[in-house]
Amino acid sequence: MKRLLVLAAAAVSLFSANAQTFPGTKPISFVVPFAAGGPTDRVARDLAEAMRKSMGGGANFVVENVNGAGGTIAATKVAKSAPDGHTLLLHHIGMASAPALYRKLQYKPLDDFEYLGMINEVPMTLIGKPQLVANNYRDFENYIRANAGKLNIAHAGLGSASHLCGLMWQSAINAKDAMTTIPFGGTAPAMNALVGGQVDLMCDQTTNTSGQIEAGRVKVFAVTTAKPLSSNKLLKDVPTLQEMGLKGFDLTIWHGLYAPKGTPPAVLAQINAALKLALKDPEFIKKQEGLGAVVVADKRVEPAMHKAFVASELSKLKPVIEAAGKFAD
Ligand code: MLT
């Protein structure tokens, strides 16, 4: 509790020192690289609410969905935005997967952004349309093999988390070209197509799939984390892909917050202090945990730790994607 009070005091002192400049009356925009209603959008809207509170209620946040090209259109927009703290990028693992999939990327993840801190970690689930005959992973994988070339897998664009997961999974089961990939502007529209039976399967974050699984509108076959989600009431008995024989398969999605390079240090410090406080908001934590996500520990909200983590993910994902991936351009 003492730590929370110290954080709150630090945040208030930062805001009062700069209150006359940032954030002022201009809204702070959370640019979300995918369509409204999806997992990334969900994190952004919940975080905006928590940060509105942690900045004393004076700051006005707007969520701007800029989807397309696996999140690279949004990242390019923010990288080229005015570095004044009013345009922030809320992005996920796509920050580290895009360079291995887009040869002509118009930004450099480590050079063109200021790192504001990590937010959460989110497991993924391998799910199918309700009409699929399979009811467990082994039957599901056999069905995929028996229908090679006839099925389609949805994702949110090359470089998206759903695309990366599908790529890694198809490579792990040696079914790289067994399915047609169908890109959407985010996994919210993809989920609508899956529930409606227009696409056959998808890999997506639990923040988007939990509700549909619980309602029986999609079938869940596996989780992508190395360890079972034993504390998750809904998914604790769903096998991991490792348990299903995919050696070493381990994919957890993460979200972070970024500002354009050159944003003033005092503004960055204010936003980081507000983010730290927001991630301790019991309401935000409860919403995240209710959807299978885990809010990161304080040290990972330190900008230097955030940047070091993304740098390590860039190196980790490059060979994984090159071994399994299809280049975008
Ligand atoms: C992804 O697949 O990259 C995201 O889950 C898409 C989204 O947040 O809509």
Side-chain angles (χ1 to χ4, degrees):
M1 187 53 189
K2 185 168 177 301
R3 187 155 173 64
L4 200 51
L5 290 173
V6 169
L7 266 177
V12 168
S13 66
L14 272 169
F15 302 145
S16 49
N18 295 292
Q20 68 285 8
T21 51
F22 183 80
T25 52
K26 195 175 154 200
I28 298 171
S29 170
F30 272 175
V31 176
V32 169
F34 301 100
T40 311
D41 181 70
R42 178 70 188 264
V43 176
R45 291 179 195 276
D46 289 350
L47 184 64
E49 187 44 42
M51 285 185 72
R52 193 175 290 114
K53 283 195 293 187
S54 67
M55 290 180 83
N60 175 22
F61 283 83
V62 292
V63 173
E64 192 186 346
N65 300 89
V66 177
N67 57 22
T72 57
I73 293 173
T76 303
K77 171 188 166 78
V78 174
K80 298 180 184 322
S81 295
D84 59 10
H86 286 278
T87 307
L88 305 178
L89 174 68
L90 194 148
H91 202 1
H92 62 27
I93 197 168
M95 199 65 170
S97 60
L101 281 160
Y102 291 86
R103 290 196 181 94
K104 302 187 201 94
L105 213 50
Q106 295 178 44
Y107 59 89
K108 291 189 173 61
L110 298 177
D111 302 342
D112 296 336
F113 295 92
E114 305 289 355
Y115 281 63
L116 285 163
M118 296 285 288
I119 298 166
N120 68 2
E121 290 192 335
V122 195
M124 295 195 95
T125 48
L126 198 52
I127 54 176
K129 66 183 180 184
Q131 298 89 337
L132 282 187
V133 292
N135 287 310
N136 59 58
Y137 179 80
R138 296 231 182 279
D139 292 350
F140 173 68
E141 192 179 307
N142 292 336
Y143 179 76
I144 299 287
R145 294 186 192 290
N147 291 278
K150 296 181 203 153
L151 302 174
N152 51 48
I153 180 168
H155 61 64
L158 296 186
S160 63
S162 41
H163 171 243
L164 178 63
C165 180
L167 216 53
M168 288 168 64
W169 171 63
Q170 290 173 75
S171 172
I173 63 168
N174 289 319
K176 273 190 203 172
D177 300 319
M179 285 163 269
T180 308
T181 62
I182 313 284
F184 289 79
T187 47
M191 181 63 84
N192 294 338
L194 186 69
V195 169
Q198 285 87 40
V199 291
D200 298 300
L201 60 138
M202 171 163 75
C203 185
D204 194 16
Q205 298 174 63
T206 55
T207 37
N208 195 29
T209 61
S210 298
Q212 303 290 0
I213 293 166
E214 192 150 33
R217 284 192 287 266
V218 296
K219 291 184 174 181
V220 60
F221 298 106
V223 295
T224 62
T225 43
K227 293 197 177 69
L229 303 178
S230 35
S231 55
N232 181 314
K233 276 199 315 295
L234 177 72
L235 300 170
K236 62 184 169 46
D237 300 323
V238 177
T240 66
L241 285 170
Q242 284 197 28
E243 286 169 329
M244 291 295 103
L246 278 55
K247 210 162 144 315
F249 200 102
D250 177 11
L251 178 64
T252 298
I253 303 308
W254 40 268
H255 291 88
L257 197 60
Y258 308 84
K261 188 77 181 173
T263 304
V267 171
L268 296 173
Q270 262 190 263
I271 298 170
N272 176 258
L275 174 61
K276 275 182 183 157
L277 215 45
L279 295 184
K280 293 189 178 314
D281 178 344
E283 202 181 314
F284 178 74
I285 294 170
K286 190 160 167 262
K287 281 181 192 169
Q288 288 289 295
E289 290 179 349
L291 293 166
V294 179
V295 175
V296 297
D298 232 16
K299 66 177 183 345
R300 299 188 70 190
V301 199
E302 291 305 328
M305 289 285 281
H306 177 195
K307 187 166 187 175
F309 174 72
V310 172
S312 70
E313 288 282 284
L314 277 161
S315 323
K316 184 180 96 176
L317 288 173
K318 189 169 185 306
V320 168
I321 291 172
E322 283 171 354
K326 296 184 177 81
F327 289 99
D329 52 19

